[in-house]
Amino acid sequence: MAIIGFIGLGNMGLPMAQNLLKAGHEVCGYDVVPAARQAAASAGVRMAASAADAAREAEMVITMLPSGRLVLEVYPGILAVAALGTLFIESSTIDVASARAAHGLAGAAGMASIDAPVSGGVGGAAAGTLTFMVGGLGAAFARALPVLEKMGRKIVHCGDAGAGQAAKICNNMILGISMIAVSEAFVLGEKLGLSHQALYDVASTASGQCWSLTSYCPVPGPVAGSPANNAYKPGFSTALMLKDMLLSQAAAASAGASTALGQHAAAMYQSYADAGHAGMDFSGIINAIREQPAG
Ligand code: NAD
């Protein structure tokens, strides 16, 4: 069993660390927020006094932080103290350029590294059923795999450095756009006198079928567990969806890709968040669409 450093023990990081503990690993953790440190300590994580202290004795170091800027701020300190050859697993959702920069720093310090963002949310983190999308060398992926399998159900090696983040933001751009498509269809159906259930029964088994419809239906009723049945409490908050949509647009701009629908969807989530709904589930965007004047 390994000693694993874990930096960033928030909504996702703590349940992921708990699954590593359950699997018999020793987890040495750090978070800047005292409440997060206390929660992690009560869950059995050995708490370090700093991120560097969490990395010092570790065979692997996992980071689960809010942004690429923070990852690049934390990396130099932990790379400076880790033993040569330590494996760095960067699991935050961040921009591809920062992910590649983190790989560069790790490589220059003589460490192995992967980018390994996740999908599956807080529920998947707790249940150990996350999907990991991994970028980096095959040897680093092979070393990480047994540990990732303790936190996730599906682990995909997507390619070289940054490929995991690229897959993550492409997937979430599909999700952000498809939720708006499904929402517009339900609002149009309402105006045409169609019941939600009738539209669901047809589209869920026809060519309109997609995850936003069948797992996360934006109207209450057809899918019991969807946030629409719980006053649009997240789930997956509009703030996080907006973050991922903006990452996709930054990537599209730097790669020279045309993502017209992604751009429009990002603007719609931005105005929904600006209207005070950043903390609501992103499927609540249907309510903003319903209120929009026709045109
Ligand atoms: P969170 O804000 O709950 O947790 C992040 C933690 O990092 C916080 O506890 C914060 O105090 C800590 N932190 C910030 N700066 C730090 C530093 N310098 N050193 C140590 N700790 C520091 O966020 P989260 O929901 O756990 O998300 C983490 C990452 O996972 C994000 O990149 C997010 O986009 C991604 N993600 C989240 C979800 C989700 O449903 N919440 C799903 C998939 C991916």
Side-chain angles (χ1 to χ4, degrees):
M1 288 298 137
I3 301 179
I4 300 175
F6 209 119
I7 296 160
L9 293 157
N11 291 323
M12 295 292 289
L14 178 54
M16 289 165 72
Q18 283 177 292
N19 281 323
L20 295 175
L21 290 170
K22 252 189 242 161
H25 294 295
E26 183 177 341
V27 181
C28 183
Y30 180 70
D31 195 290
V32 281
V33 170
R37 287 203 293 272
Q38 272 155 23
S42 332
V45 176
R46 178 160 66 83
M47 293 312 291
S50 66
D53 281 345
R56 209 180 294 278
E57 290 170 27
E59 291 152 59
M60 300 182 189
V61 179
I62 301 174
T63 39
M64 195 57 176
L65 297 168
S67 70
R69 182 183 59 78
L70 284 168
V71 169
L72 294 179
E73 267 176 35
V74 166
Y75 254 46
I78 55 181
L79 287 166
V81 297
L84 265 189
T86 300
L87 174 61
F88 281 74
I89 300 175
E90 210 309 281
S91 277
S92 328
T93 301
I94 64 173
D95 57 291
V96 176
S98 296
R100 290 189 177 141
H103 277 280
L105 292 172
M111 311 294 175
S113 62
I114 57 170
D115 52 294
V118 301
S119 108
V122 176
T129 56
L130 293 169
T131 295
F132 280 88
M133 293 145 269
V134 181
L137 296 177
F141 175 73
R143 260 176 85 188
L145 189 58
V147 168
L148 301 184
E149 281 172 342
K150 300 297 180 218
M151 300 181 284
R153 188 160 53 194
K154 184 159 177 132
I155 327 286
V156 183
H157 189 197
C158 300
D160 290 339
Q165 293 293 351
K168 164 82 185 170
I169 60 175
C170 288
N171 176 73
N172 278 25
M173 189 177 77
I174 297 173
L175 173 63
I177 294 171
S178 67
M179 181 55 78
I180 290 172
V182 170
S183 297
E184 287 189 352
F186 273 101
V187 169
L188 176 59
E190 287 167 6
K191 293 199 191 296
L192 296 174
L194 194 57
S195 76
H196 289 161
Q197 193 63 48
L199 176 55
Y200 181 84
D201 288 345
V202 171
S204 62
T205 53
S207 44
Q209 192 276 333
C210 64
W211 190 90
S212 291
L213 178 70
T214 55
S215 294
Y216 227 68
C217 189
V219 293
V223 174
S226 82
N229 294 296
N230 191 22
Y232 298 95
K233 290 204 184 83
F236 189 54
S237 73
T238 299
L240 284 176
M241 173 48 79
L242 177 59
K243 172 187 168 182
D244 292 355
M245 291 304 294
L246 293 175
L247 288 175
S248 76
Q249 292 315 291
S254 72
S258 165
T259 55
L261 286 182
Q263 189 177 10
H264 195 66
M268 289 176 73
Y269 288 111
Q270 181 77 66
S271 61
Y272 186 56
D274 291 347
H277 304 300
M280 305 275 277
D281 190 79
F282 79 109
S283 61
I285 192 118
I286 191 171
N287 297 316
I289 291 169
R290 193 179 282 117
E291 284 160 18
Q292 263 167 15

